[in-house]
Amino acid sequence: MTLPKIELHLHLEGAAPPAFVRGLATEKKIDISGIFDDRGNYAYTDFWHFLKVYEAATSVLTTPADYARLTRAVLAESAASGVIYSECFLSPDFCGGRDVGAWREYLHAIREAAEEAERQDGITLRGIVTPIRHFGPEKARETALCAAETAGDWLVGFGLAGDEKVGRPKDFAWSFDCAREAGLRLTCHAGEWGGPDSVRDAVRDLRVERIGHGVRAIEDPALVDELAEAGIVLEVCPGSNVALKLYPNFRAHPIEKLMERGVKVTVSTDDPPFFHTTMAREYDALAEAFGWDDGVFRQIADTSIRAAFCMEETRDKILKRLEKAHA
Ligand code: HPA
Ligand code: ZN
Protein backbone atom coordinates (compact mmCIF):
# COMPACT_ATOMS: atom_id res chain seq x y z
CA MET A 1 0.00 0.00 0.00
CA THR A 2 1.51 3.35 -1.02
CA LEU A 3 -0.50 5.65 1.28
CA PRO A 4 1.67 8.13 3.19
CA LYS A 5 2.11 6.90 6.73
CA ILE A 6 2.93 8.42 10.10
CA GLU A 7 4.62 6.25 12.73
CA LEU A 8 4.71 7.25 16.41
CA HIS A 9 5.98 4.13 18.19
CA LEU A 10 9.29 2.71 17.02
CA HIS A 11 12.23 1.57 19.15
CA LEU A 12 15.35 2.53 17.18
CA GLU A 13 17.44 -0.47 18.27
CA GLY A 14 14.40 -2.70 17.86
CA ALA A 15 14.24 -1.68 14.22
CA ALA A 16 17.78 -2.91 13.51
CA PRO A 17 17.72 -5.57 10.77
CA PRO A 18 19.32 -8.84 12.00
CA ALA A 19 21.92 -8.73 9.20
CA PHE A 20 22.95 -5.24 10.31
CA VAL A 21 23.42 -6.42 13.91
CA ARG A 22 25.31 -9.55 12.76
CA GLY A 23 27.61 -7.39 10.64
CA LEU A 24 28.54 -5.17 13.59
CA ALA A 25 28.96 -8.22 15.84
CA THR A 26 31.43 -9.74 13.36
CA GLU A 27 33.33 -6.45 12.97
CA LYS A 28 33.66 -6.11 16.75
CA LYS A 29 34.18 -9.81 17.47
CA ILE A 30 31.18 -9.93 19.81
CA ASP A 31 29.50 -13.35 19.97
CA ILE A 32 25.73 -12.96 19.91
CA SER A 33 25.05 -15.95 17.66
CA GLY A 34 22.60 -17.32 20.25
CA ILE A 35 20.00 -14.63 19.49
CA PHE A 36 19.40 -15.78 15.91
CA ASP A 37 17.57 -18.80 14.52
CA ASP A 38 19.01 -20.93 11.68
CA ARG A 39 17.43 -18.63 9.09
CA GLY A 40 19.16 -15.62 10.60
CA ASN A 41 16.08 -14.05 12.18
CA TYR A 42 15.90 -12.94 15.80
CA ALA A 43 14.83 -15.88 17.98
CA TYR A 44 12.87 -15.45 21.20
CA THR A 45 10.12 -17.30 23.04
CA ASP A 46 8.05 -14.57 24.70
CA PHE A 47 8.11 -10.84 25.56
CA TRP A 48 10.54 -11.27 28.45
CA HIS A 49 12.93 -13.30 26.35
CA PHE A 50 12.45 -10.72 23.57
CA LEU A 51 13.70 -7.99 25.96
CA LYS A 52 16.86 -10.05 26.62
CA VAL A 53 17.48 -10.66 22.93
CA TYR A 54 16.86 -6.94 22.28
CA GLU A 55 19.46 -5.95 24.86
CA ALA A 56 21.98 -8.46 23.42
CA ALA A 57 21.42 -7.09 19.90
CA THR A 58 21.82 -3.54 21.26
CA SER A 59 25.17 -4.47 22.85
CA VAL A 60 26.87 -4.33 19.41
CA LEU A 61 25.93 -0.65 19.04
CA THR A 62 28.81 0.96 20.90
CA THR A 63 29.55 4.29 19.16
CA PRO A 64 27.68 7.33 17.82
CA ALA A 65 28.78 6.24 14.33
CA ASP A 66 27.01 2.88 14.84
CA TYR A 67 23.81 4.73 15.71
CA ALA A 68 24.19 6.97 12.67
CA ARG A 69 24.43 3.88 10.43
CA LEU A 70 21.49 2.32 12.23
CA THR A 71 19.37 5.46 11.78
CA ARG A 72 20.07 5.51 8.04
CA ALA A 73 19.21 1.81 7.66
CA VAL A 74 15.99 2.14 9.66
CA LEU A 75 14.78 5.27 7.89
CA ALA A 76 15.49 3.77 4.46
CA GLU A 77 13.20 0.87 5.39
CA SER A 78 10.52 3.18 6.80
CA ALA A 79 10.60 5.43 3.72
CA ALA A 80 10.26 2.35 1.49
CA SER A 81 7.07 1.56 3.41
CA GLY A 82 5.69 5.03 2.68
CA VAL A 83 6.41 6.58 6.08
CA ILE A 84 6.82 10.37 5.80
CA TYR A 85 7.04 11.21 9.52
CA SER A 86 8.32 9.04 12.34
CA GLU A 87 9.08 9.31 16.03
CA CYS A 88 11.57 6.88 17.53
CA PHE A 89 12.41 5.88 21.08
CA LEU A 90 16.02 6.44 22.14
CA SER A 91 17.62 5.45 25.43
CA PRO A 92 20.61 7.25 26.98
CA ASP A 93 20.98 3.92 28.86
CA PHE A 94 22.23 2.37 25.60
CA CYS A 95 23.65 5.59 24.12
CA GLY A 96 26.54 6.53 26.39
CA GLY A 97 25.48 4.91 29.68
CA ARG A 98 23.41 7.94 30.82
CA ASP A 99 26.37 10.31 30.71
CA VAL A 100 25.06 13.64 29.40
CA GLY A 101 28.19 14.46 27.40
CA ALA A 102 28.24 11.08 25.69
CA TRP A 103 24.48 11.21 25.12
CA ARG A 104 24.86 14.55 23.32
CA GLU A 105 27.33 12.91 20.92
CA TYR A 106 25.00 9.99 20.17
CA LEU A 107 22.09 12.36 19.69
CA HIS A 108 24.10 14.55 17.35
CA ALA A 109 25.07 11.55 15.20
CA ILE A 110 21.49 10.24 15.07
CA ARG A 111 20.17 13.66 14.20
CA GLU A 112 22.67 14.20 11.40
CA ALA A 113 21.77 10.81 9.93
CA ALA A 114 18.08 11.70 10.16
CA GLU A 115 18.67 15.00 8.37
CA GLU A 116 20.44 13.18 5.55
CA ALA A 117 17.48 10.79 5.27
CA GLU A 118 15.11 13.76 5.18
CA ARG A 119 17.01 15.26 2.24
CA GLN A 120 17.34 11.98 0.36
CA ASP A 121 14.18 10.02 1.20
CA GLY A 122 11.74 12.73 2.30
CA ILE A 123 11.19 11.22 5.74
CA THR A 124 11.17 13.35 8.91
CA LEU A 125 12.30 11.88 12.24
CA ARG A 126 11.94 13.15 15.81
CA GLY A 127 13.18 11.56 19.04
CA ILE A 128 11.55 10.46 22.29
CA VAL A 129 13.78 9.50 25.22
CA THR A 130 12.75 6.38 27.10
CA PRO A 131 14.29 5.10 30.31
CA ILE A 132 14.03 1.33 30.70
CA ARG A 133 11.47 0.46 33.34
CA HIS A 134 13.20 -2.69 34.59
CA PHE A 135 16.46 -0.75 35.08
CA GLY A 136 14.59 1.03 37.91
CA PRO A 137 13.57 4.60 38.91
CA GLU A 138 17.09 5.70 39.95
CA LYS A 139 18.51 5.17 36.48
CA ALA A 140 15.35 6.68 35.00
CA ARG A 141 16.15 9.92 36.84
CA GLU A 142 19.58 10.11 35.21
CA THR A 143 17.92 9.39 31.87
CA ALA A 144 15.37 12.15 32.47
CA LEU A 145 18.18 14.61 33.17
CA CYS A 146 19.84 13.65 29.85
CA ALA A 147 16.49 14.20 28.13
CA ALA A 148 15.88 17.55 29.86
CA GLU A 149 19.36 18.78 28.85
CA THR A 150 18.71 18.03 25.18
CA ALA A 151 15.01 18.86 24.88
CA GLY A 152 14.21 21.00 21.84
CA ASP A 153 12.94 20.98 18.30
CA TRP A 154 14.31 17.48 17.61
CA LEU A 155 14.19 15.71 20.96
CA VAL A 156 10.51 16.27 21.61
CA GLY A 157 9.22 13.58 23.96
CA PHE A 158 9.77 11.37 26.96
CA GLY A 159 8.35 7.90 27.58
CA LEU A 160 8.91 4.65 29.42
CA ALA A 161 9.88 1.37 27.75
CA GLY A 162 10.90 -2.03 29.10
CA ASP A 163 9.11 -4.54 31.29
CA GLU A 164 5.65 -3.23 32.10
CA LYS A 165 5.30 -5.75 34.92
CA VAL A 166 8.16 -4.26 36.94
CA GLY A 167 7.36 -1.42 39.38
CA ARG A 168 4.54 1.09 39.11
CA PRO A 169 4.17 4.23 37.00
CA LYS A 170 4.28 6.47 40.08
CA ASP A 171 7.82 5.24 40.83
CA PHE A 172 8.78 7.23 37.72
CA ALA A 173 6.79 10.40 38.51
CA TRP A 174 9.93 12.43 39.33
CA SER A 175 11.42 11.62 35.91
CA PHE A 176 8.21 12.48 34.08
CA ASP A 177 7.86 15.76 36.01
CA CYS A 178 11.46 16.63 35.13
CA ALA A 179 10.81 15.89 31.45
CA ARG A 180 7.53 17.86 31.44
CA GLU A 181 9.24 20.87 33.00
CA ALA A 182 11.84 20.74 30.22
CA GLY A 183 9.02 21.06 27.70
CA LEU A 184 8.93 17.42 26.60
CA ARG A 185 5.63 15.76 25.66
CA LEU A 186 4.80 12.50 27.40
CA THR A 187 3.91 8.91 26.57
CA CYS A 188 4.25 5.60 28.45
CA HIS A 189 4.03 1.90 27.59
CA ALA A 190 0.97 0.48 29.38
CA GLY A 191 -1.99 -1.78 28.71
CA GLU A 192 0.03 -4.35 26.81
CA TRP A 193 1.27 -6.70 29.57
CA GLY A 194 -0.54 -4.80 32.29
CA GLY A 195 -4.35 -4.67 32.32
CA PRO A 196 -6.64 -1.62 32.21
CA ASP A 197 -5.43 -0.40 35.60
CA SER A 198 -1.91 0.01 34.20
CA VAL A 199 -3.34 2.49 31.68
CA ARG A 200 -5.28 4.34 34.40
CA ASP A 201 -2.14 4.56 36.56
CA ALA A 202 -0.01 5.93 33.71
CA VAL A 203 -2.57 8.61 32.83
CA ARG A 204 -3.16 9.62 36.46
CA ASP A 205 0.35 9.36 37.91
CA LEU A 206 2.47 10.43 34.93
CA ARG A 207 -0.05 12.70 33.17
CA VAL A 208 0.83 11.33 29.74
CA GLU A 209 -1.08 12.37 26.64
CA ARG A 210 -0.31 9.21 24.68
CA ILE A 211 -0.10 5.56 25.70
CA GLY A 212 2.21 3.02 24.06
CA HIS A 213 -0.15 0.16 23.17
CA GLY A 214 -2.95 0.72 25.72
CA VAL A 215 -5.05 -1.84 23.85
CA ARG A 216 -6.04 -3.78 26.97
CA ALA A 217 -8.19 -0.77 27.92
CA ILE A 218 -10.80 -2.64 25.88
CA GLU A 219 -11.27 -4.96 28.88
CA ASP A 220 -12.80 -2.07 30.87
CA PRO A 221 -15.64 -0.17 29.14
CA ALA A 222 -15.52 2.73 31.62
CA LEU A 223 -11.81 3.24 30.87
CA VAL A 224 -12.50 3.21 27.12
CA ASP A 225 -14.98 6.05 27.68
CA GLU A 226 -12.47 7.95 29.83
CA LEU A 227 -9.75 7.67 27.17
CA ALA A 228 -12.14 8.82 24.46
CA GLU A 229 -13.34 11.72 26.61
CA ALA A 230 -9.80 12.82 27.52
CA GLY A 231 -8.55 12.46 23.93
CA ILE A 232 -5.69 10.18 24.99
CA VAL A 233 -3.99 8.77 21.91
CA LEU A 234 -3.07 5.07 21.69
CA GLU A 235 0.09 4.07 19.85
CA VAL A 236 -1.30 0.76 18.65
CA CYS A 237 1.11 -1.85 17.24
CA PRO A 238 -1.15 -4.65 16.00
CA GLY A 239 1.54 -6.81 14.38
CA SER A 240 3.65 -6.63 17.55
CA ASN A 241 0.67 -7.72 19.65
CA VAL A 242 -0.03 -10.65 17.31
CA ALA A 243 3.65 -11.70 17.14
CA LEU A 244 3.86 -11.68 20.95
CA LYS A 245 0.58 -13.64 21.12
CA LEU A 246 -1.46 -11.03 22.97
CA TYR A 247 -4.11 -11.71 20.28
CA PRO A 248 -4.23 -14.74 17.98
CA ASN A 249 -4.57 -12.71 14.76
CA PHE A 250 -5.36 -9.26 13.35
CA ARG A 251 -9.08 -10.02 13.19
CA ALA A 252 -9.13 -10.61 16.97
CA HIS A 253 -7.25 -7.36 17.69
CA PRO A 254 -9.31 -4.64 19.46
CA ILE A 255 -8.08 -1.72 17.31
CA GLU A 256 -11.33 -1.39 15.37
CA LYS A 257 -13.49 -1.63 18.50
CA LEU A 258 -11.41 1.06 20.21
CA MET A 259 -11.76 3.31 17.19
CA GLU A 260 -15.52 2.74 17.01
CA ARG A 261 -15.80 3.68 20.67
CA GLY A 262 -14.20 7.05 19.93
CA VAL A 263 -10.66 6.40 21.13
CA LYS A 264 -7.91 8.04 19.07
CA VAL A 265 -5.84 5.24 17.57
CA THR A 266 -2.65 5.32 15.54
CA VAL A 267 -0.68 2.46 13.91
CA SER A 268 3.01 1.62 14.41
CA THR A 269 5.41 -1.31 14.15
CA ASP A 270 7.22 -1.24 17.56
CA ASP A 271 10.27 -3.41 16.69
CA PRO A 272 9.63 -4.36 13.05
CA PRO A 273 12.22 -7.07 12.25
CA PHE A 274 11.56 -8.79 15.57
CA PHE A 275 7.87 -8.99 14.71
CA HIS A 276 8.33 -9.67 10.99
CA THR A 277 6.52 -6.52 10.06
CA THR A 278 6.83 -3.15 8.30
CA MET A 279 4.41 -0.22 8.15
CA ALA A 280 3.30 -1.41 4.70
CA ARG A 281 2.56 -4.87 6.12
CA GLU A 282 0.60 -3.41 9.05
CA TYR A 283 -1.60 -1.43 6.67
CA ASP A 284 -2.11 -4.42 4.37
CA ALA A 285 -3.00 -6.75 7.25
CA LEU A 286 -5.45 -4.19 8.72
CA ALA A 287 -7.09 -3.67 5.32
CA GLU A 288 -7.49 -7.41 4.95
CA ALA A 289 -8.72 -8.07 8.50
CA PHE A 290 -11.20 -5.20 8.76
CA GLY A 291 -11.89 -4.20 5.16
CA TRP A 292 -10.55 -0.69 5.83
CA ASP A 293 -10.36 1.59 2.81
CA ASP A 294 -8.15 4.62 2.10
CA GLY A 295 -10.57 6.84 4.03
CA VAL A 296 -9.92 4.98 7.29
CA PHE A 297 -6.16 5.08 6.76
CA ARG A 298 -6.33 8.77 6.00
CA GLN A 299 -8.16 9.31 9.28
CA ILE A 300 -5.46 7.33 11.11
CA ALA A 301 -2.68 9.35 9.47
CA ASP A 302 -4.52 12.53 10.39
CA THR A 303 -4.98 11.47 14.04
CA SER A 304 -1.30 10.48 14.12
CA ILE A 305 0.18 13.74 12.84
CA ARG A 306 -2.09 15.75 15.15
CA ALA A 307 -0.80 13.63 18.06
CA ALA A 308 2.84 13.95 16.97
CA PHE A 309 5.15 15.68 19.45
CA CYS A 310 6.91 17.83 16.83
CA MET A 311 6.66 21.62 16.56
CA GLU A 312 3.65 23.15 14.78
CA GLU A 313 5.68 24.16 11.75
CA THR A 314 6.70 20.54 11.13
CA ARG A 315 3.15 19.32 11.72
CA ASP A 316 1.79 21.82 9.17
CA LYS A 317 4.33 20.69 6.60
CA ILE A 318 3.38 17.02 7.04
CA LEU A 319 -0.34 17.83 7.05
CA LYS A 320 0.09 19.55 3.68
CA ARG A 321 1.86 16.47 2.29
CA LEU A 322 -1.02 14.28 3.50
CA GLU A 323 -3.59 16.60 1.92
CA LYS A 324 -1.73 16.53 -1.37
CA ALA A 325 -1.45 12.74 -1.38
CA HIS A 326 -5.17 12.32 -0.77
CA ALA A 327 -6.32 15.10 -3.13
N1 HPA B 1 8.10 -2.87 24.45
C1 HPA B 1 8.65 -2.48 25.60
N2 HPA B 1 9.90 -2.21 25.73
C2 HPA B 1 10.68 -2.33 24.66
C3 HPA B 1 10.18 -2.73 23.46
C4 HPA B 1 8.83 -3.02 23.34
O1 HPA B 1 8.33 -3.37 22.27
N3 HPA B 1 11.20 -2.74 22.58
C5 HPA B 1 12.27 -2.36 23.25
N4 HPA B 1 11.97 -2.10 24.52
ZN1 ZN C 1 7.14 -0.44 22.30
Side-chain angles (χ1 to χ4, degrees):
M1 201 172 276
T2 54
L3 294 170
K5 302 170 183 72
I6 313 290
E7 175 154 50
L8 300 180
H9 188 118
L10 177 72
H11 300 263
L12 186 61
E13 299 91 354
F20 177 91
V21 167
R22 258 195 309 278
L24 276 182
T26 308
E27 273 174 37
K28 300 184 186 195
K29 301 193 171 48
I30 302 173
D31 181 14
I32 47 160
S33 51
I35 69 169
F36 303 108
D37 64 18
D38 18 329
R39 295 186 18 224
N41 293 317
Y42 294 117
Y44 58 89
T45 51
D46 61 14
F47 176 68
W48 291 272
H49 188 210
F50 154 78
L51 287 177
K52 288 208 165 65
V53 170
Y54 181 101
E55 282 165 30
T58 301
S59 73
V60 307
L61 297 157
T62 54
T63 67
D66 293 340
Y67 270 85
R69 275 164 74 187
L70 172 64
T71 304
R72 288 295 279 129
V74 169
L75 291 181
E77 177 63 44
S78 295
S81 249
V83 177
I84 61 170
Y85 175 88
S86 181
E87 289 180 2
C88 74
F89 298 126
L90 302 168
S91 303
D93 302 80
F94 302 132
C95 298
R98 295 179 298 279
D99 172 83
V100 182
W103 161 243
R104 280 188 195 282
E105 287 175 27
Y106 278 83
L107 193 59
H108 180 73
I110 293 165
R111 204 176 155 163
E112 270 196 346
E115 277 158 12
E116 194 180 310
E118 182 151 23
R119 285 191 298 273
Q120 287 181 4
D121 299 330
I123 179 168
T124 301
L125 183 70
R126 293 293 181 264
I128 299 174
V129 160
T130 53
I132 313 298
R133 186 158 167 165
H134 54 274
F135 292 178
E138 274 306 316
K139 293 196 168 82
R141 279 183 206 153
E142 294 173 28
T143 302
L145 290 170
C146 287
E149 282 289 323
T150 50
D153 60 346
W154 198 87
L155 199 277
V156 292
F158 188 77
L160 186 58
D163 187 351
E164 234 183 82
K165 294 262 199 205
V166 174
R168 297 154 303 173
K170 72 172 178 211
D171 302 335
F172 298 89
W174 188 95
S175 297
F176 276 72
D177 288 345
C178 169
R180 187 187 303 104
E181 277 162 29
L184 292 162
R185 312 267 302 265
L186 305 177
T187 177
C188 177
H189 280 69
E192 180 191 19
W193 303 106
D197 279 344
S198 72
V199 177
R200 274 208 177 85
D201 291 350
V203 172
R204 187 193 56 227
D205 296 335
L206 304 178
R207 294 163 52 203
V208 295
E209 53 185 297
R210 297 192 335 217
I211 293 281
H213 299 287
V215 288
R216 291 189 54 200
I218 199 69
E219 296 164 23
D220 182 338
L223 175 62
V224 173
D225 290 342
E226 283 165 38
L227 294 177
E229 177 73 20
I232 303 285
V233 174
L234 302 189
E235 303 155 4
V236 181
C237 309
S240 161
N241 296 155
V242 172
L244 290 170
K245 302 194 169 63
L246 204 55
Y247 303 103
N249 52 53
F250 270 69
R251 189 74 207 122
H253 194 281
I255 186 169
E256 189 175 58
K257 288 195 193 82
L258 288 161
M259 201 158 66
E260 284 169 359
R261 298 277 306 277
V263 178
K264 290 184 177 169
V265 304
T266 63
V267 171
S268 298
T269 58
D270 214 4
D271 306 275
F274 283 90
F275 306 139
H276 306 286
T277 190
T278 62
M279 279 293 275
R281 279 189 215 156
E282 294 291 321
Y283 271 47
D284 286 345
L286 288 166
E288 191 182 313
F290 300 112
W292 288 356
D293 59 13
D294 286 7
V296 179
F297 289 111
R298 181 179 182 176
Q299 188 192 323
I300 286 174
D302 205 67
T303 302
S304 305
I305 194 60
R306 289 180 198 286
F309 289 163
C310 59
M311 293 174 70
E312 291 312 314
E313 192 187 323
T314 309
R315 191 189 326 282
D316 287 346
K317 227 166 59 189
I318 303 293
L319 268 168
K320 286 211 177 75
R321 281 183 72 184
L322 286 178
E323 269 163 33
K324 220 158 128 189
H326 285 280

